Amino acid sequence: MAHGDIFAFRAGSEAYNRLAAGCRWGSIFLTHEDIAAAGEAIVARELTAPPATHRIKPPRAALNRLLNLHEAAGHLAKTAPDILVKPEVARAMDQAVVEAMVGCLASDDPVNDRHAYRHHARVMRRLEEVLRAGPERSLYMDDLCKAIGASYRTLHVCCREQLGMSPKRYLMLRRMHLAHRALSRGDPEKTSVTEIATDYGFWELGRFSVAYRSLFGESPSTTLRRLPDDPAPVEIAGASRQFAESA
């Protein structure tokens, strides 16, 4: 994604949106019926959900109008929320934002609506389906490629494109989060860090501990010993991102 991009999602879709640097972003939700009706009223044509999720580069004037309205709504919410609860103000702002969004979508200039992009999106959807089917199970590359029906080369390209990391790194982070959840729920009288770490395929316990601290801001033993009602430490987003991108 780059500055000014808009993603129009197909009906019922899931997608990864990756940015190379810090950003500010917003989302707008409209039902299919509402956006179709707004399109008929504003640009005299029905706007329907696209057959494939794609990225749009709207005209600068239309984009600036939408961004300014979005910023104004956020400013009101922070500085004068009582104004937003007034029915006519809420309706006027809602209609202005919808009109601006229709102006952007009606430009209909998809950037990456191409066969390779759609194929990669299907591979990633299949990846998530396989992961959801076994949420507590550690998965490794051979098993994953067979379950998805894609070669490692294809999966590697898709993950690099849409996640910004290799599939091995993505699976490792998933196993790390599974271990974190198990440690958070574990009883230190009945289990140990070694037992939980090895349950999720981490056999180099020193490296596991260093990576765990980098990702979650504390040692595995601290997580295991914490009482259920104790708050977890605030995660440092920069450290987490650096850890994810380090391989």
Side-chain angles (χ1 to χ4, degrees):
M1 295 182 69
H3 176 70
D5 287 351
I6 291 178
F7 270 81
F9 292 98
R10 71 174 180 84
S13 68
E14 296 179 348
Y16 297 94
N17 298 324
R18 182 170 66 87
L19 300 104
C23 68
R24 297 176 63 192
W25 60 275
S27 61
I28 295 176
F29 171 81
L30 292 170
T31 66
H32 297 169
E33 294 77 12
D34 286 345
I35 193 64
E40 288 281 5
I42 297 169
V43 294
R45 68 183 178 91
E46 186 175 296
L47 296 175
T48 59
T53 298
H54 62 266
R55 182 161 52 102
I56 296 172
K57 278 286 190 186
R60 182 176 295 276
L63 177 63
N64 287 341
R65 171 67 173 161
L66 179 62
L67 292 176
N68 289 338
L69 285 168
H70 199 279
E71 183 177 2
H75 180 72
L76 273 179
K78 290 179 180 179
T79 61
D82 54 312
I83 294 180
L84 279 180
V85 301
K86 296 180 180 295
E88 281 306 311
V89 172
R91 186 170 185 275
M93 181 158 285
D94 178 71
Q95 291 300 307
V97 170
V98 169
E99 181 180 345
M101 175 56 73
V102 167
C104 290
L105 295 179
S107 66
D108 200 22
D109 185 21
V111 175
N112 56 7
D113 185 14
R114 59 187 190 274
H115 175 73
Y117 179 83
R118 295 194 297 271
H119 174 63
H120 292 177
R122 286 194 295 270
V123 170
M124 296 305 294
R125 285 197 298 272
R126 181 58 182 151
L127 168 63
E128 293 301 332
E129 289 170 359
V130 172
L131 294 180
R132 290 194 189 106
E136 298 289 344
R137 182 166 58 96
S138 296
L139 293 170
Y140 299 92
M141 289 312 306
D142 286 348
D143 296 332
L144 192 61
C145 289
K146 290 176 183 176
I148 294 174
S151 67
Y152 175 74
R153 181 184 180 88
T154 297
L155 187 58
H156 188 277
V157 169
C158 293
C159 287
R160 279 291 182 187
E161 176 187 80
Q162 303 202 26
L163 299 178
M165 66 182 76
S166 70
K168 288 183 179 179
R169 170 65 57 172
Y170 187 54
L171 287 183
M172 190 280 291
L173 286 173
R174 178 178 179 271
R175 290 189 290 120
M176 189 68 75
H177 279 275
L178 289 173
H180 174 67
R181 183 165 61 181
L183 288 165
S184 301
R185 298 173 177 176
D187 182 348
E189 300 296 327
K190 298 179 180 179
T191 188
S192 66
V193 171
T194 297
E195 183 178 354
I196 291 175
T198 53
D199 281 346
Y200 291 101
F202 296 103
W203 69 88
E204 295 178 283
L205 299 180
R207 294 186 65 182
F208 168 75
S209 181
V210 171
Y212 186 97
R213 184 184 291 275
S214 175
L215 187 59
F216 299 111
E218 65 180 12
S219 68
S221 58
T222 300
T223 304
L224 181 60
R225 290 194 302 266
R226 179 183 294 110
L227 297 175
D229 295 333
D230 286 350
V234 176
E235 182 178 325
I236 302 174
S240 176
R241 182 173 62 251
Q242 182 179 12
F243 172 72
E245 294 174 349
S246 62

